[in-house]
Amino acid sequence: MAAHAGLSTHVLDTARGRPAQGVPVQLHRIEGETRKPLAEAVTNADGRTDAPLIERGSLQSGTYELTFHVADYFSDFDAATDPPFLDVVTLRFTVGNPDAHYHVPLVMTPWSYSTYRGS
């Protein structure tokens, strides 16, 4: 098993050029039509959760959703719209190799977002 196997995330605010602190994050496992809650966290000053969302050795193959509640984070952004353009960002992804580490960050602005599989 890889030394860092598990699931982690972080949130980057590219409009301000800094990590996004204070963003609530939820993790669900998708089982058919059911969303099974696995973890909840809030991003810290580095834009990361204080602990992995799934610890090493506990990750399973399957489909997951990361949900980021970003509206409140952008509510104080000078150029943000009222109401905010982005409210909740959901990323659905599949874990094929549970022995590998999956790092799924959210890179965002008040008007757009992207993700990638990081290390």
Side-chain angles (χ1 to χ4, degrees):
M1 181 180 312
H4 299 292
L7 176 67
S8 59
T9 190
H10 73 277
V11 182
L12 300 170
D13 176 349
T14 56
R16 296 177 184 161
R18 66 182 189 204
Q21 181 177 10
V23 176
V25 179
Q26 298 169 321
L27 175 67
H28 290 85
R29 181 175 167 85
I30 307 303
E31 298 174 351
E33 298 297 317
T34 304
R35 295 174 72 238
K36 178 182 175 188
L38 297 180
E40 290 188 19
V42 177
T43 57
N44 59 26
D46 194 33
R48 299 175 185 273
T49 57
D50 289 333
L53 295 171
I54 297 178
E55 294 289 339
R56 179 177 54 162
S58 297
L59 187 62
Q60 299 175 7
S61 296
T63 302
Y64 294 84
E65 278 186 358
L66 274 171
T67 304
F68 301 88
H69 298 267
V70 301
D72 285 345
Y73 173 82
F74 282 124
S75 66
D76 68 343
F77 193 77
D78 289 338
T81 59
D82 186 24
F85 177 67
L86 293 177
D87 181 9
V88 176
V89 174
T90 301
L91 304 176
R92 184 176 281 200
F93 59 95
T94 303
V95 169
N97 178 4
D99 293 330
H101 180 71
Y102 283 75
H103 182 69
V104 184
L106 176 66
V107 180
M108 65 178 188
T109 76
W111 312 278
S112 64
Y113 65 90
S114 66
T115 192
Y116 58 94
R117 178 168 173 205
S119 58

